[in-house]
Amino acid sequence: MLRDGSGKIASVGRAHNQEGVEYLYTSLKQVYKKSFVPLEEYCHFADFFSPVMSDNDIEAKPFVLLIGQYSVGKTSFINHLLGDPPGGYPGSNVGPEPTTDRFVAIMHGPEDRVLPGNAVAVSPGKPFNGLQVFGNAFLQKFQCSESRSEILQSMTLIDTPGVLSGEKQRIGRNYDMSQVCRWFAERSDLILLLFDAHKLDISDELKTVIESLRGNDDKIRIVLNKADQVNPQQLMRVYGALMWSLGKVFRTPEVTRVYISSFWNSPYAPTGRGQPMRARHGAPARAHSPPPP
């Protein structure tokens, strides 16, 4: 709190909090190295799961993982969150066809630049050393985009390739996408599963990816994007169809909460200006649950 315009009290408070955070990190690293590392080495934990965590892994900013089929608005969502920078975040592409063909970690940096995955995975200053277990085929499809956006000072966003559907599923990938998604999910604090109001089918690959997220259910949020492109009556039917599809994949008696939204840099479409879309532009209208019986 401030008593005058000097800002001295606030500065002291922030400095005190920073000291507390640094002390906590130091204590965690000491406990991990003293008690857990010997156990991991004795059990050869790195051979079947992940290498020993580095200091950067412990101090890493919270991860937000975005998953969905191609052209559901994952990259547009990230650009909107970053303030819609001209041209998007470094290395991003937006379009109706599959444009994001790789995993991208969007992090804060001193300048806008793109770093190749092979360099990022061995960088001592990045928390991605564990990705080396997926081999060079995956690292060629991974990159780090650094941006000076202020919001990235408190989080790291993970953009993923659009999950394939239809005939594209038969092409296959040079790495196991479901296992890579699971690696990121276990280290993420929030997982956003995006769906397009016009594309509700859950392909075999998307089903495999969702099943790989089991054990992280409390982190998952379902987002129905581009909801302004249908009228309210159509939106209710779309919502019901999505709930029916999700029920076959999640296999849980609890009703899955769905957040209806439209994240992009344009006003809402006229068809979607009904009751569900009256929230301010850029924020989820509200979490919709099915009407009572």
Side-chain angles (χ1 to χ4, degrees):
M1 73 189 243
L2 293 175
R3 293 182 181 176
D4 52 44
S6 63
K8 292 181 179 179
I9 297 179
S11 299
V12 171
R14 284 194 296 269
H16 178 73
N17 290 336
Q18 184 63 26
E19 290 177 0
V21 171
E22 292 177 356
Y23 174 77
L24 177 61
Y25 277 134
T26 301
S27 300
L28 283 173
K29 288 185 284 189
Q30 290 176 349
V31 170
Y32 177 70
K33 291 178 181 179
K34 181 179 179 180
S35 302
F36 289 90
V37 171
L39 183 61
E40 291 185 13
E41 292 176 346
Y42 176 79
C43 298
H44 300 282
F45 188 71
D47 294 339
F48 59 88
F49 189 70
S50 64
V52 173
M53 294 177 65
S54 65
D55 290 349
N56 288 312
D57 292 326
I58 298 176
E59 297 177 359
K61 297 171 185 175
F63 282 9
V64 177
L65 175 64
L66 287 87
I67 298 176
Q69 296 188 150
Y70 67 91
S71 192
V72 297
K74 299 186 297 298
T75 302
S76 297
F77 175 95
I78 292 175
N79 287 328
H80 187 78
L81 195 61
L82 299 181
D84 292 311
Y89 67 78
S92 67
N93 293 298
V94 177
E97 72 283 355
T99 51
T100 303
D101 63 345
R102 61 194 63 228
F103 283 79
V104 185
I106 301 98
M107 308 180 70
H108 186 267
E111 60 180 343
D112 292 350
R113 61 177 180 173
V114 177
L115 303 175
N118 290 285
V120 174
V122 297
S123 174
K126 297 286 191 296
F128 301 111
N129 293 342
L131 291 174
Q132 297 179 62
V133 299
F134 297 108
N136 189 60
F138 166 73
L139 294 179
Q140 291 179 350
K141 292 295 184 178
F142 172 64
Q143 70 182 31
C144 175
S145 294
E146 292 188 346
S147 172
R148 291 171 291 182
S149 176
E150 183 178 353
I151 196 172
L152 294 176
Q153 294 181 3
S154 56
M155 71 174 73
T156 295
L157 302 170
I158 308 297
D159 197 2
T160 61
V163 178
L164 301 178
S165 61
E167 292 293 327
K168 301 182 184 68
Q169 297 179 89
R170 300 181 182 179
I171 300 175
R173 303 180 191 268
N174 294 328
Y175 59 90
D176 191 332
M177 182 168 180
S178 62
Q179 291 303 313
V180 175
C181 287
R182 183 172 182 82
W183 188 94
F184 279 108
E186 289 172 343
R187 291 158 179 80
S188 296
D189 294 79
L190 183 64
I191 303 171
L192 299 181
L193 192 57
L194 277 75
F195 289 90
D196 187 332
H198 294 93
K199 247 184 330 192
L200 299 178
D201 61 305
I202 297 180
S203 63
D204 292 341
E205 185 177 47
L206 181 56
K207 180 180 179 181
T208 302
V209 169
I210 294 176
E211 289 175 345
S212 72
L213 303 179
R214 287 179 180 170
N216 300 282
D217 304 64
D218 58 318
K219 306 176 185 178
I220 298 176
R221 302 293 183 272
I222 308 297
V223 178
L224 179 59
N225 201 21
K226 304 182 183 181
D228 62 327
Q229 298 181 15
V230 295
N231 62 48
Q233 291 182 345
Q234 293 173 331
L235 184 59
M236 291 299 102
R237 288 196 290 268
V238 167
Y239 172 83
L242 178 61
M243 293 295 294
W244 182 80
S245 299
L246 291 175
K248 296 189 298 181
V249 179
F250 281 96
R251 298 178 183 176
T252 173
E254 291 82 13
V255 176
T256 304
R257 177 167 292 185
V258 177
Y259 295 85
I260 298 175
S261 66
S262 183
F263 292 98
W264 63 334
N265 58 358
S266 300
Y268 288 137
T271 55
R273 289 178 180 166
Q275 178 66 28
M277 300 303 297
R278 286 182 182 170
R280 67 180 180 86
H281 178 60
R286 59 191 173 102
H288 285 256
S289 297

